[in-house]
Amino acid sequence: MSASPHSPRILTRDVPADPALALQQAGLSPLLSRLLASRGVVSAQELDADLKHLVPPDGLLGIQAAATLLADTLAAGERICVVADYDCDGATACAVMLRGLAMLGAAPGSVSYVVPDRAVHGYGLTPTIVDLAMQHQPRLLVTVDNGIASHAGVAHARALGLKVLVTDHHLPAIDADGVATVPEADALVNPNQPGCTFPSKNMAGVGVAFYVLLALRGELRRRGAYTDGVQPRLDVLLDLVALGTVADVVKLDANNRRLVAQGLRRMRAGRMQPGVAALFTAAARDALRANSFDLGFALGPRINAAGRLADMTMGITCLTTEDSDQALTLAKELDRINRERREIEAGMQEQALALLDRLMDDPRLKGAPPPALALFDEDFHEGVVGIVASRIKDRLHRPVFVFARGADGQLKGSGRSIPGFHLRDALDLVSKRHPDLLRKFGGHAMAAGCTLAPGGVEAFAAAFERVAGEWLDEASLTRTLRTDGPLPPDAFCAETVQELEAQVWGQAFEAPLFCDQVQVIHQRIVGERHLKLRLRQGALLRDAIWFGRTESLPDLVTLAYRLTLDEYQGQQRVQMVVEAMAD
């Protein structure tokens, strides 16, 4: 296949000697000290997940105004409507806000929510979503995981006499002069808004929502709400915060790692929302051994599936119900929808690869894919374009947009990028060069979305490819895999796996990936599309599996792999999960 992936360039991470020694002297194992030092950790204090080490809420611009607005609204007994988003971050942020406001004194029935339908309403606080929220007769709208670019929606809400609190983490819109602009809300909390000096810029929407609740509790405390010294324990919401943070693939800086670590601790102790416990059951994962991989690849996709193919109210209800039976019923339905999503995704990926093959037949490309890609087919499903873009991006190491036709006839695109190519800024440049091409756009460095008029894909593809050609060089377009080098032979054991699983790994704090030369003793295909391996590493035999690969390996090969515990008939054994092969 012309669009087949190439082996990555494999590099070994540098390990700063002084931090590695300091971590080892603090009591960490030599292996873990080396792994953490290579990821920028310089002291054991950074690994202390105690909540007292969280960055204080008062560093967030606008958070006191938000707390005052919420406290005044609660005191007056007025209605609040939360405007959510249709992904896992938005769903968990909504659940956190609903549960938190109830804990902090909102009267029963006074807090409602609305969530856009991806195909009908589009993204964010649009005027149509404001009109939908008006059916709940609110006095205050609170956005979670959206709103920073919703100028028209905020203006419409305020024209109707509503107050608006925006809580978000996305980048603001850029005007024609290149200046970041924010909507005229009554209060706005976003670590990425102009003028905000909050050091943890990478919080997910659910993290921002949690911080707003912390500030609200502080404001209520100042107003004398807790004269007996007993105040609501908002840490009971951290399982939701951890799930949304990992699922949204935000960078796991020290602050985010603390939020996630606290949430995982609650899960492992069996203290979690009924919906989170039900999602573990539906995904056949053990909550008592919960790790960030479970959140990102098992629970998160099941919540996301509701927003992609059905209605995210199902996901939010799962996360807010106190009824364990209802939670399990909803989690099983989410699991069914996720299986359907995988089937649609597989078909779309085949179609996308066929489009790529036709594209690669162009002799001008000389066998190499262009620096950026935009793909569209009339049969593509709007709810799955982002996942397919991610799969193609991973396969070719190119920025990719995938488009589908929306219910309104416009083309809805979702893009994924590679390091060194800021996707939202690229869309901004395309918009400036071609003012009539993009109907709207927004997003982050690594993920973004846009809307085109019918028939606009070809022009967009050319403009997008031109920007990529200007910004990316050959080195940027070569996939690089950073590994932690060889694994010491005595570390190939269950204790190592357990030690690694106890840490929080994720975006920009990648899970350990080792690299060794091995001899292939035996290989066979299992499950029709996975390569099962028996390897010799030095004098020792190892078990390994390479998911999604069917091509055989040479007798002597260098493999990049992670460690897992494979359980079969009650027995545990360490297994390599292969990620890549060096050329």
Side-chain angles (χ1 to χ4, degrees), residues 44 69 77 111 116 126 140 149 169 177 180 186 219 321 455 505 507 514 523 554:
L69 179 58
V111 182
T126 59
L140 170 66
H169 71 124
D177 297 319
D186 295 272
E219 175 63 20
T321 182
W505 311 101
Q507 181 71 8
F514 303 103
Q523 51 187 315

Side-chain angles (χ1 to χ4, degrees), residues 200-217:
S200 182
K201 299 291 186 183
N202 302 305
M203 275 201 301
V206 67
V208 177
F210 180 72
Y211 261 70
V212 168
L213 292 173
L214 291 176
L216 172 58
R217 185 179 64 180

Side-chain angles (χ1 to χ4, degrees), residues 67 144 169 269 412 442 457 474 570:
V144 290
H169 71 124
K412 310 296 178 66
V457 172
E474 184 177 351

